[in-house]
Amino acid sequence: MFLKFLFRRLIYVIPMLFITTLIVFSFILLIPGDPVLALLGENATPEKVAQLRQQLGLDQPIIVQYFDWLKNAIQGDLGRSIFTGQFVHEAVFSRLAVTFQLVVVAMIIAVVGGMFFAITSIYFPNSWMDYVARFFGTLGTAIPNFWLAMLLVLLFSLKLDWVPATGFTSIADSPVSFFKGILLPAFSLGMVGIAQITRHLRSSLMETMSADYIRTAYSKGVDRWQAIFKHGLQNAMLPVVTTIGILFGNMLGATVVIETIFAIPGMGQLAVNSILQRDFTMLQGVVLVMIVLVILINFITDIVYAVLDPRIEY
Amino acid sequence: MKRTQLTFITRLLFLLAFTFVIIGCSSNSDEKASTAEKGNDGTKTEEGTPKKGGEAIFAYETDVSNYDPTQGSAGSDHALLWPVYDTLIKFTPELEPEAGLAESWDFLDDKTVELKLREGVTFHDGTPFNAEAVKFNIERANSENSKVTDLKNIDSVEVVDEKTVKLHLSQPDSSILLALSDRGGMMVSPTAVKEKGEDFAQNPVGAGPYKMVKRVPNGEVVFEAYEDYWEEGKPYLDKMTVKIMADENTRINALKSGEVDYADNIKPGNVQQLKNDSNIVLKDKTSVAFRILYLNAEKEPMNNKAVRQALLYGINRDDIIQAINFGSGEPASQPFPSGYWAAGENIKVDYDPEKAKQILKDAGLEDITIKMNHYSTAYEQRIAEAIKSQLAEIGINVDLQAMELQAAVSNYFNEKEVPMFLSSWTGRPDPQITIKNLFASDSFYNAGGHSTDEIEKLISQAAGIYEQEERAKLYGEISQKALLEEAIMIPLFFEPRTSAMNQSIKGFEPNLLGKPILSTVWKEQ
């Protein structure tokens, strides 16, 4: 039964992938500013432009270009960068590792922070803790992440000199440097997550805590702490699973800004530079990987939800 | 369930409060040091004897577009190409030619240049550098797939012997020498090119002071000293790492917090805050790069000379420099800054709104509207708005169209959609290249192709003169005609190129070209 459900969801992923990549691919080709002109610079004679366009296959209709690209992509060939000649899959996967580390840490910060605030505010309703939690829940949503990032750098790097202002060390190379370097960018990235998880978890916990079964638990002599942790949280976490799934996609998008500010050589930075240079093949590779990731995460979210919530019919 | 709904205003107040708290935390840091100002005036200080060894980390704005010198076309590439590729000719900080891989040069007649090559030079892969290698490189630079344009006048390369080559020109070309200090003169290893083919750019091999050992595109480039470099005792550093940081604030933060030793291209607005930091040394030099209004004389209303001339007198360059550049920069009336050998004398455009109005009135023009492209960065936006308001005073209405760099460039130069474009001329090592590119009718940069027979004649005349003073005189004449009479384009101002570095970095010398040469740097341990 569960397998069938899994299979059904998978079948649904394929057209999703197809449609999203087609849309994004078309958008990329419609960006004003032609890669051929960017490549040729002052040598852009009409003959040379036509010749290079043909060479890159840009003279074909979009749909033909798309299927050519798709055919190669399915075989694992994402082509070479128009500008540097580097293989796209190499560039993308080397950076994926970087962005992945960043997003995972940001997600941990978001989940831990969000749960902490939500639970304390429920445990101590209307206390100052509750107000702090609510304040954070609003503030995090309102603060633009790039602005927060700049303030954090100002305070923790330039003023206090606790952590570096830029750069990235892989966790495999040096866990200590990794941790120091990732703190600010991950926090800037995770702030919105803290806020959203706080708000969602807080409201769903409130609802849960007023449910009959919790009252029953109280009457059996369970204390407040146990009621929240043992009985409430399990059900209240369900909507948060969805929030986390959505957050992941948002964070992936936000890395574009955060990686630029902190000079982290990840996917976001690669995306920005590819757009600025009009390196279409590289950009298509980056976008493809991002789309696959987001769809994959959504897929996993659905599965997790189904496993956690017995009410969901397979 | 009660939810806290905060109004927009309340959120804004929170934001403001938060900002003040943080600014309060950070403002006292500015007070800690305004004592040590030495070395911050941009003059060259005596830096002592160079020390060998150590490593330095540089923050640079843009990554190389392609590590094959014949395949890129961005002016920002040079700083990262030069460490790997030595050039046949080098230039002094004042842009005069000096010996590079060619020890000496001699003009046998106005169409033949003889180069004597340095002995005992090898490429990083051990391939000897000789006359054959020079022939290979120049022919490669002029081949079908190359993007190098400056060597087109070299008709053939004659190998006289192992250490001598003759360049035969199809027509006299006074820019040929300094063109060999640019992309066209960057020597790549013929062996590596033949072996690597399409992958050469991934594994660049030159004869420069540093070998490239690692590269993360748009991330970092790591160089190691080439132990068999021809110049005794150089390079000084064992290792150079260049980190690509596109954002200027990021570069400054990295420098201040010690993650990098050097940050390139600091804009005037940020120079002040760095001046107050006693650990940081600033070095700047006016460069041959300048802000420019490109005009397309084919398009309405630019096809009327009166409009172009009104623009020339209707812009107050001094005010723009004061307001937007905090006073740093030199107003431009010609394509070369004062103090450069190619600069013509007595060429001066003064701000004269009355004259501009009169020119328009005499031509019977009223209510002119011009559409102008400009880049969408905050700095460019400010310049564009200043120009708009100044031109409004002489009765010209400017429609601003902000665009991202690549889009703006192709929209103006290739698609020729708009009559005016606020951009910059990034400068070239030889003035002839600049003059030809800006004023010749068949040049890519002269989008409307407007010129006069007289100007064209002077340009080709200048190409055949190899004597600096005479050349300068001719360039002055050309500027006079092309700018003051025809107003083919509007020069605005020369900007200083400023680099910031910490106290331990020595030996960096800014040059007039405005492209940093990193390989001369050494570190005070």
Side-chain angles (χ1 to χ4, degrees):
Chain A
M1 206 57 189
F2 181 67
L3 275 179
K4 199 171 159 191
F5 164 76
L6 208 66
F7 187 69
R8 260 215 323 270
R9 303 293 307 176
L10 258 177
I11 289 290
Y12 166 73
V13 161
I14 291 164
M16 272 277 279
L17 263 175
F18 182 76
I19 292 163
T20 43
T21 49
L22 177 62
I23 290 171
V24 172
F25 192 97
S26 316
F27 277 162
I28 289 175
L29 290 176
L30 294 173
I31 298 175
D34 186 329
V36 170
L37 298 178
L39 265 171
L40 288 172
E42 58 186 89
N43 302 322
T45 59
E47 305 77 60
K48 275 207 164 171
V49 169
Q51 185 197 343
L52 189 59
R53 196 161 273 151
Q54 198 180 356
Q55 222 174 313
L56 296 171
L58 291 167
D59 54 343
Q60 305 283 340
I62 285 183
I63 198 82
V64 174
Q65 287 186 53
Y66 172 72
F67 278 107
D68 276 350
W69 172 81
L70 190 69
K71 197 177 73 202
N72 293 329
I74 288 171
Q75 295 164 353
D77 172 18
L78 293 173
R80 281 170 178 251
S81 153
I82 297 180
F83 280 82
T84 60
Q86 205 200 7
F87 283 108
V88 171
H89 66 266
E90 277 177 20
V92 170
F93 287 111
S94 69
R95 286 155 174 278
L96 189 57
V98 174
T99 298
F100 187 73
Q101 292 178 45
L102 172 64
V103 171
V104 165
V105 175
M107 195 57 91
I108 292 169
I109 289 176
V111 172
V112 171
M115 280 179 70
F116 171 80
F117 282 125
I119 291 166
T120 46
S121 82
I122 295 295
Y123 196 81
F124 307 105
N126 293 327
S127 68
W128 65 270
M129 289 285 269
D130 187 10
Y131 287 116
V132 168
R134 286 192 216 173
F135 175 70
F136 250 88
T138 311
L139 189 77
T141 318
I143 285 189
N145 56 15
F146 62 89
W147 186 79
L148 177 71
M150 287 188 226
L151 290 186
L152 292 174
V153 167
L154 208 60
L155 181 61
F156 293 104
S157 304
L158 300 182
K159 180 92 184 85
L160 300 168
D161 203 15
W162 289 352
V163 285
T166 57
F168 174 84
T169 320
S170 174
I171 195 163
D173 297 338
S174 159
V176 175
S177 310
F178 164 78
F179 187 69
K180 278 184 123 168
I182 207 80
L183 262 181
L184 297 189
F187 189 78
S188 315
L189 203 57
M191 183 70 181
V192 174
I194 296 179
Q196 292 195 354
I197 292 174
T198 302
R199 289 165 64 159
H200 288 178
L201 188 57
R202 191 171 165 273
S203 59
S204 74
L205 256 179
M206 266 188 177
E207 224 171 313
T208 314
M209 296 309 284
S210 58
D212 288 348
Y213 75 96
I214 297 284
R215 211 169 311 153
T216 313
Y218 276 140
S219 64
K220 286 181 178 171
V222 171
D223 69 11
R224 198 169 161 69
W225 194 244
Q226 275 181 314
I228 292 179
F229 268 86
K230 273 181 105 151
H231 304 277
L233 209 53
Q234 208 175 350
N235 288 328
M237 274 307 272
L238 276 177
V240 177
V241 170
T242 315
T243 310
I244 290 174
I246 293 167
L247 264 180
F248 186 88
N250 292 352
M251 280 187 184
L252 216 48
T255 55
V256 169
V257 176
I258 296 297
E259 286 179 2
T260 303
I261 292 176
F262 290 97
I264 296 172
M267 293 270 284
Q269 214 195 30
L270 186 64
V272 173
N273 288 312
S274 309
I275 292 171
L276 290 179
Q277 278 190 313
R278 300 291 184 273
D279 195 341
F280 283 10
T281 41
M282 187 65 86
L283 189 57
Q284 281 153 355
V286 173
V287 169
L288 173 73
V289 172
M290 284 204 175
I291 289 176
V292 168
L293 275 178
V294 170
I295 289 181
L296 195 71
I297 293 288
N298 280 335
F299 175 72
I300 292 171
T301 311
D302 284 351
I303 302 295
V304 170
Y305 208 105
V307 170
L308 288 181
D309 191 345
R311 285 170 306 184
I312 287 190
E313 298 246 337
Y314 292 151
Chain B
M1 192 192 90
K2 195 172 135 293
R3 280 188 58 177
T4 24
Q5 275 292 359
L6 283 182
T7 60
F8 177 71
I9 295 293
T10 330
R11 288 183 190 193
L12 209 63
L13 286 175
F14 274 136
L15 263 183
L16 279 175
F18 194 20
T19 315
F20 285 132
V21 170
I22 298 278
I23 285 175
C25 295
S26 67
S27 63
N28 47 9
S29 64
D30 300 340
E31 294 157 21
K32 71 179 175 214
S34 55
T35 44
E37 279 273 336
K38 60 172 189 295
N40 275 359
D41 54 0
T43 54
K44 192 170 174 284
T45 49
E46 196 46 63
E47 295 184 308
T49 341
K51 301 206 174 21
K52 212 165 157 51
E55 50 184 271
I57 303 171
F58 300 82
Y60 192 65
E61 194 170 12
T62 3
D63 197 3
V64 170
S65 55
N66 190 302
Y67 243 107
D68 179 342
T70 65
Q71 290 306 307
S73 53
S76 50
D77 290 355
H78 295 61
L80 303 187
L81 294 172
W82 278 322
V84 178
Y85 302 112
D86 253 12
T87 49
L88 285 170
I89 305 290
K90 290 188 175 178
F91 53 79
T92 66
E94 302 306 323
L95 274 186
E96 311 243 7
E98 64 176 0
L101 290 176
E103 268 181 326
S104 64
W105 58 87
D106 192 11
F107 287 95
L108 304 179
D109 56 56
D110 67 0
K111 289 206 285 188
T112 318
V113 194
E114 186 179 76
L115 301 175
K116 286 276 180 215
L117 307 178
R118 204 172 283 284
E119 307 228 353
V121 177
T122 54
F123 290 103
H124 303 157
D125 59 359
T127 308
F129 166 77
N130 53 25
E132 283 298 339
V134 174
K135 184 177 164 73
F136 173 90
N137 269 285
I138 290 180
E139 284 172 357
R140 186 168 184 261
N142 277 336
S143 66
E144 182 59 28
N145 280 331
S146 158
K147 295 194 175 66
V148 176
T149 49
D150 302 341
L151 304 183
K152 288 284 180 255
N153 287 331
I154 299 179
D155 203 30
S156 63
V157 183
E158 183 192 340
V159 176
V160 179
D161 59 42
E162 187 74 352
K163 293 293 156 211
T164 318
V165 283
K166 276 186 190 161
L167 309 180
H168 296 287
L169 308 179
S170 54
Q171 55 188 24
D173 183 355
S174 53
S175 72
I176 203 71
L177 212 50
L178 279 165
L180 292 172
S181 72
D182 209 89
R183 285 178 182 279
M186 294 182 184
M187 296 291 113
V188 308
S189 161
T191 321
V193 170
K194 285 167 193 156
E195 276 174 11
K196 296 278 179 349
E198 206 181 346
D199 282 321
F200 176 78
Q202 280 14 284
N203 310 277
V205 181
Y210 288 93
K211 292 182 292 191
M212 192 194 89
V213 289
K214 181 183 166 213
R215 178 176 180 217
V216 179
N218 286 313
E220 62 175 19
V221 189
V222 182
F223 302 98
E224 267 172 21
Y226 175 45
E227 57 281 1
D228 292 327
Y229 187 57
W230 59 265
E231 202 169 350
E232 203 49 51
K234 286 183 179 173
Y236 301 119
L237 296 167
D238 296 334
K239 190 176 163 195
M240 294 201 300
T241 302
V242 176
K243 294 193 178 236
I244 308 299
M245 298 184 181
D247 184 70
E248 189 186 345
N249 278 323
T250 305
R251 290 198 296 280
I252 291 170
N253 289 342
L255 177 70
K256 277 183 164 175
S257 60
E259 283 127 53
V260 302
D261 301 306
Y262 167 104
D264 178 55
N265 201 6
I266 308 296
K267 288 268 178 265
N270 278 318
V271 164
Q272 210 48 48
Q273 60 147 322
L274 289 171
K275 268 195 177 154
N276 297 334
D277 192 325
S278 59
N279 297 319
I280 289 171
V281 179
L282 294 163
K283 288 186 179 178
D284 63 17
K285 193 178 177 75
T286 295
S287 77
V288 289
F290 62 99
R291 296 269 132 198
I292 184 173
L293 281 179
Y294 287 104
L295 308 180
N296 184 335
E298 283 279 281
K299 293 187 79 75
E300 285 278 346
M302 288 304 166
N303 49 8
N304 191 326
K305 197 200 284 194
V307 175
R308 303 201 301 269
Q309 283 183 323
L311 294 176
L312 204 56
Y313 298 106
I315 292 172
N316 187 338
R317 294 163 178 77
D318 291 306
D319 273 11
I320 294 179
I321 290 170
Q322 284 306 329
I324 292 159
N325 271 0
F326 302 87
S328 73
E330 182 190 318
S333 309
Q334 59 171 322
F336 308 118
S338 58
Y340 180 31
W341 65 262
E345 283 170 26
N346 308 325
I347 299 172
K348 186 86 180 76
V349 180
D350 287 313
Y351 174 56
D352 193 343
E354 291 313 312
K355 186 174 178 177
K357 279 186 211 162
Q358 195 57 49
I359 292 174
L360 292 175
K361 202 171 150 187
D362 291 347
L365 294 163
E366 274 177 358
D367 297 332
I368 304 159
T369 298
I370 306 173
K371 194 167 195 176
M372 175 170 95
N373 277 5
H374 66 91
Y375 302 130
S376 46
T377 61
Y379 176 75
E380 301 274 350
Q381 183 86 32
R382 285 199 286 271
I383 301 176
E385 278 162 5
I387 288 171
K388 182 186 166 89
S389 71
Q390 288 178 357
L391 292 179
E393 285 173 35
I394 60 164
I396 294 179
N397 171 38
V398 181
D399 270 349
L400 299 183
Q401 181 168 282
M403 283 177 134
E404 178 261 324
L405 189 129
Q406 286 296 356
V409 168
S410 60
N411 182 274
Y412 176 84
F413 288 111
N414 302 98
E415 287 135 40
K416 303 188 198 290
E417 290 282 334
V418 288
M420 183 154 81
F421 180 27
L422 168 65
S423 176
S424 56
W425 173 250
T426 53
R428 296 293 183 273
D430 191 277
Q432 178 72 17
I433 307 175
T434 293
I435 289 276
K436 199 168 161 7
N437 272 314
L438 293 175
F439 304 138
S441 61
D442 59 356
S443 156
F444 172 82
Y445 298 97
N446 188 348
H450 176 71
S451 195
T452 64
D453 291 346
E454 195 183 7
I455 293 172
E456 302 255 70
K457 208 173 84 212
L458 286 171
I459 293 175
S460 53
Q461 198 185 328
I465 294 171
Y466 293 89
E467 209 279 317
Q468 275 193 2
E469 260 176 61
E470 276 182 72
R471 288 177 76 190
K473 212 176 281 171
L474 267 176
Y475 294 141
E477 226 176 298
I478 294 169
S479 295
Q480 189 79 29
K481 293 195 158 52
L483 294 174
L484 305 192
E485 288 169 27
E486 289 298 325
I488 293 176
M489 50 95 178
I490 312 289
L492 298 172
F493 55 87
F494 295 94
E495 271 180 66
R497 174 90 174 199
T498 308
S499 304
M501 59 215 79
N502 67 32
Q503 295 276 22
S504 66
I505 294 291
K506 312 283 183 197
F508 176 78
E509 195 165 8
N511 57 59
L512 200 50
L513 190 59
K515 295 173 182 175
I517 296 173
L518 306 179
S519 50
T520 58
V521 163
W522 52 278
K523 206 168 179 179
E524 190 75 72
Q525 303 302 337

